Amino acid sequence: MPSPELPARTPTSAAALAAVAPPDPAAVLAGTDWAALDHAYGPAESTAEDLLGLLDEDPEVQAGSLGALEMSVLHQGSLYTATAPAALFIAGILSDPRTLVAHEGFFPWDDRVRPLRVALLEWLGEFAHSAGLDREEWIDPDDPEEAGVLAAVTACQAVRPQVLVAVRPFLDDADPGVREAALGVVTHLLGAGAEADGFAARQAAADRLEHIARTPGGRRERAAALLTLAQWGRDTAAQLDDPDPAVRTCAALGTADPAAVEVLLAALADPAVVDGWFDEPLPQTDGWFRFTVLHGLLDRADSFERVLPAALALVPRSSQYTVDREWGPLLAFAFAEPHAPEAPLTPAQHAFLAALVDHDPCWGRIGNRDVWLRGAGLPTSREDLRALLR
């Protein structure tokens, strides 16, 4: 395969990161001893070819190269010594016109058609998330194998400012898919612990996101901006009266204002509608959006009686597979003090348990359910729960 021409580095004018040079992909490629580095399958000699394949004229080669990089240098979110230079290269080519080519994902379970630029930003989002995880507590630097992991993590953390410089301009891209993917990267790069790493850009980025949240526009972009602001600790109460119910619900997740509870309760009155707000999970969430809304409600509500209407609305959509994200946390909230034998149930506890017992999909062979029931001081048998309700 002929080597694609690499883009020249473009300087940044971002005052907050003036001392940080943006990645130069050609320098990264030439200055890295890939054979001395490793990825998920051993020595990383082939990584340079995979990176160059991202700029190939054939979209299928581009998709295959990105798939190879996902499996090797970022395998299931793991970091390797080859991950940091690979991330710098990918960040450095984001502005290359060849990344505008659209194609399906490499893996059969991902049939989305999107520009390579979006896919590269999503890859960088996964990288930033993994690099931001606190691994020092469980890595033993005296263990030779774990010392290598620590070196990889440290290298990935060190390049985050350069990745940020490369990604920030795409927060204002004309393509909403690019903007959303860039926001996902920035969210992780400026997330927990970023200040200690020397980032000076969170304040400016937060101001930019507040502008996005206030500006009439796409639901996904405004909602994602509010969720990011919430993760950064920026109060979002100003949008609690937004005309878009999805936007004001996301605003409720970023404020301690008492009015947030009513917004979240109103949303969960119809969980099916909440789950339909976003075709794909927002970068800041995982799973059905009702899970995120529920956990926000439980963090703010002062009693289970207040939560009961939402709990009863959620039960019809619950199953044994949602216990850890949904009705298990509701049980823990309803029984903050484990139920004592022979003690009467409160009316709210009785109503919620009765709804669960009557809902067949919540009962099966998944053992996680028993953990939540025992934690609430309740029997794990459906029949024993029925007896308790009599």
Side-chain angles (χ1 to χ4, degrees):
M1 171 178 82
S3 297
E5 181 182 350
L6 293 173
R9 184 175 69 192
T10 54
T12 179
S13 60
L17 293 172
V20 179
D24 181 342
V28 171
L29 204 66
T32 301
D33 183 1
W34 298 100
L37 304 180
D38 72 316
H39 55 43
Y41 304 105
E45 296 102 327
S46 63
T47 299
E49 183 177 353
D50 292 331
L51 291 169
L52 280 173
L54 298 174
L55 297 176
D56 194 272
E57 295 180 356
D58 186 341
E60 291 189 7
V61 173
Q62 289 183 332
S65 296
L66 181 58
L69 292 165
E70 289 178 355
M71 292 186 293
S72 59
V73 298
L74 198 58
H75 182 70
Q76 296 181 349
S78 297
L79 303 177
Y80 306 89
T81 53
T83 308
L88 283 178
F89 181 93
I90 289 173
I93 66 170
L94 287 173
S95 59
D96 190 288
R98 286 167 288 188
T99 66
L100 295 174
V101 175
H103 50 70
E104 289 187 2
F106 175 74
F107 300 105
W109 55 83
D110 185 2
D111 58 358
R112 293 175 296 165
V113 177
R114 64 200 192 283
L116 177 64
R117 182 172 293 169
V118 172
L120 294 178
L121 284 164
E122 290 176 351
W123 189 96
L124 287 171
E126 294 177 18
F127 160 81
H129 173 69
S130 292
L133 296 176
D134 185 6
R135 291 174 168 84
E136 283 74 5
E137 293 184 359
W138 56 265
I139 292 178
D140 180 4
D142 296 325
D143 183 321
E145 292 187 6
E146 293 191 1
V149 175
L150 183 58
V153 172
T154 302
C156 288
Q157 292 174 341
V159 304
R160 288 185 296 178
Q162 287 176 277
V163 174
L164 178 62
V165 166
V167 170
R168 277 181 60 189
F170 295 97
L171 291 172
D172 299 308
D173 195 84
D175 184 335
V178 171
R179 294 197 303 269
E180 179 182 332
L183 176 57
V185 184
V186 172
T187 297
H188 294 304
L189 288 175
L190 297 180
E195 296 295 347
D197 290 338
F199 286 116
R202 189 194 299 203
Q203 186 72 21
D207 292 343
R208 176 75 185 96
L209 296 186
E210 283 191 343
H211 175 74
I212 292 172
R214 292 193 302 267
T215 303
R219 165 181 283 180
R220 285 187 65 88
E221 187 170 13
R222 299 178 67 216
L226 286 165
L227 292 178
T228 296
L229 290 167
Q231 289 185 13
W232 293 351
R234 184 73 73 95
D235 189 89
T236 54
Q239 300 304 121
L240 283 175
D241 60 352
D242 195 274
D244 187 322
V247 172
R248 63 175 177 264
T249 298
C250 289
L253 295 170
T255 181
D257 189 308
V261 173
E262 292 303 325
V263 173
L264 297 172
L265 283 170
L268 290 176
D270 195 339
V273 170
V274 171
D275 285 341
W277 279 341
F278 308 107
D279 293 338
E280 296 285 338
L282 295 170
Q284 301 83 358
T285 65
D286 178 42
W288 293 109
F289 192 58
R290 71 178 189 270
F291 299 157
T292 298
V293 178
L294 171 62
H295 285 265
L297 174 63
L298 296 182
D299 286 342
R300 292 161 175 78
D302 55 8
S303 70
F304 185 65
E305 285 70 20
R306 190 93 181 273
V307 169
L308 181 62
L312 295 178
L314 285 163
V315 169
R317 297 187 69 81
S318 300
S319 75
Q320 60 180 325
Y321 302 105
T322 67
V323 62
D324 290 329
R325 302 290 304 276
E326 190 168 39
W327 58 278
L330 278 165
L331 275 175
F333 193 81
F335 294 89
E337 294 293 331
H339 181 255
E342 309 303 326
L345 297 169
T346 68
Q349 291 171 337
H350 190 284
F352 180 53
L353 284 179
L356 287 176
V357 169
D358 287 342
H359 190 56
D360 290 339
C362 287
W363 303 91
R365 297 185 178 182
I366 299 296
N368 302 43
R369 176 188 61 246
D370 294 351
V371 175
W372 291 100
L373 288 167
R374 290 192 190 100
L378 298 169
T380 58
S381 162
R382 192 178 184 185
E383 291 307 314
D384 290 341
L385 281 171
R386 281 200 176 102
L388 180 65
L389 291 168
R390 294 191 187 106

